[in-house]
């Protein structure tokens, strides 16, 4: 997907430069509109495929709840931290569409979707819960307290799993029912409830 988007981005830049100091020629603008539509359709198709594969995996493995990060407002929070070189890649990430596809497919399959707070998921040790910016160095994760090592994305995924399980136990302990799924109710609980109870 990154490679596909980079090719389209370069093609767009070339077409926008057509016509010198003007915005572009009529034919280049027509081509730009076609490219935009093609890229949108491509991203939608990829998100449908990924969400379908995810739900099929969940069904095959008897998963009854899927945990995802609540990424509301992430673009505004992180736009100043992203270098100009990666700004397009950052802003063209269709994560909300993917989450929406996962939600409705999960609901059809009787699987709950739980949103958790994304703070420090990739800086928290999934083994000892020690939080430090020094735990993560690029894609490598090494806990400075207990020495646990893994890929940073894997550590983040493990922490999302822990938070999802904790939130689910809290719901069930208080008489909440997570099946059939009610994404709105679970989303509200994920904002209010503590994340780690262990």
């Amino acid at each position: 997907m990154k490679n596909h988007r980079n090719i389209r981005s370069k093609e767009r830049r070339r077409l926008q430069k057509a016509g010198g100091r003007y915005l572009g020629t009529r034919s280049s603008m027509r081509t730009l509109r076609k490219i935009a539509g093609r890229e949108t359709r491509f991203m939608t198709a990829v998100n449908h495929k990924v969400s379908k594969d995810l739900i099929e995996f969940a069904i095959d493995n008897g998963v009854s709840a899927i945990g995802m990060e609540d990424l509301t407002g992430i673009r505004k929070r992180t736009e100043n931290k992203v270098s100009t070189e990666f700004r397009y890649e950052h802003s063209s990430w269709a994560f909300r569409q993917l989450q929406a596809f996962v939600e409705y497919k999960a609901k059809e399959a009787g699987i709950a979707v739980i949103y958790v707070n994304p703070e420090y998921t990739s800086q928290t040790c999934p083994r000892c819960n020690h939080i430090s910016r020094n735990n993560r160095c690029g894609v490598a994760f090494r806990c400075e307290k207990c020495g646990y090592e893994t890929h940073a994305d894997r550590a983040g995924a493990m922490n999302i799993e822990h938070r999802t399980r904790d939130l689910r136990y809290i719901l069930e302990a208080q008489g909440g029912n997570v099946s059939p799924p009610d994404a709105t109710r679970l989303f509200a609980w994920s904002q209010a409830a503590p994340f780690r109870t262990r």
Side-chain angles (χ1 to χ4, degrees):
M1 273 168 49
K2 280 182 184 177
N3 187 45
H4 177 86
R5 286 200 307 236
N6 287 338
I7 290 166
R8 294 290 175 216
S9 178
K10 284 175 187 171
E11 198 174 349
R12 255 197 306 279
R13 275 199 299 271
R14 183 181 57 79
L15 289 164
Q16 284 167 345
K17 285 179 184 174
R21 62 193 171 125
Y22 302 105
L23 184 60
T25 62
R26 212 176 294 169
S27 63
S28 70
M29 297 308 289
R30 217 173 15 245
T31 310
L32 278 167
R33 280 194 294 273
K34 278 183 189 174
I35 288 170
R38 204 175 300 143
E39 189 171 4
T40 304
R41 288 191 299 275
F42 171 75
M43 285 302 301
T44 303
V46 168
N47 281 339
H48 266 302
K49 174 85 169 71
V50 170
S51 59
K52 183 183 172 203
D53 289 349
L54 180 65
I55 298 304
E56 283 176 0
F57 177 85
I59 291 167
D60 292 346
N61 290 277
V63 174
S64 57
I66 294 172
M68 291 193 285
E69 290 180 318
D70 171 21
L71 299 174
T72 308
I74 192 168
R75 285 201 178 102
K76 279 191 176 179
R77 290 197 307 271
T78 58
E79 66 185 351
N80 295 331
K81 297 176 186 176
V82 179
S83 66
T84 313
E85 186 186 352
F86 299 107
R87 202 156 285 165
Y88 169 72
E89 188 180 303
H90 175 73
S91 62
S92 62
W93 178 34
F95 64 87
R96 186 61 201 121
Q97 184 187 61
L98 176 60
Q99 287 183 331
F101 289 168
V102 170
E103 272 181 35
Y104 91 78
K105 288 181 171 116
K107 196 166 189 176
E108 286 174 358
I111 298 169
V113 173
I114 300 174
Y115 285 93
V116 297
N117 190 330
E119 285 182 351
Y120 308 112
T121 48
S122 62
Q123 296 175 15
T124 304
C125 177
R127 186 170 285 171
C128 72
N129 295 334
H130 175 68
I131 301 171
S132 173
R133 191 174 283 183
N134 299 330
N135 284 349
R136 180 173 180 168
C137 182
V139 296
F141 181 93
R142 186 180 189 282
C143 180
E144 61 182 5
K145 190 176 178 184
C146 72
Y148 178 71
E149 290 182 51
T150 187
H151 192 285
D153 289 341
R154 185 170 185 269
M158 290 166 77
N159 286 318
I160 291 167
E161 181 192 7
H162 293 157
R163 292 178 184 187
T164 303
R165 284 180 189 271
D166 290 347
L167 187 55
R168 189 164 182 210
Y169 294 148
I170 291 165
L171 278 170
E172 289 176 349
Q174 295 179 355
N177 188 10
V178 292
S179 185
D182 182 346
T184 308
R185 178 175 55 80
L186 294 175
F187 177 82
W189 270 96
S190 71
Q191 301 306 300
F195 296 111
R196 296 308 300 265
T197 54
R198 291 188 191 127

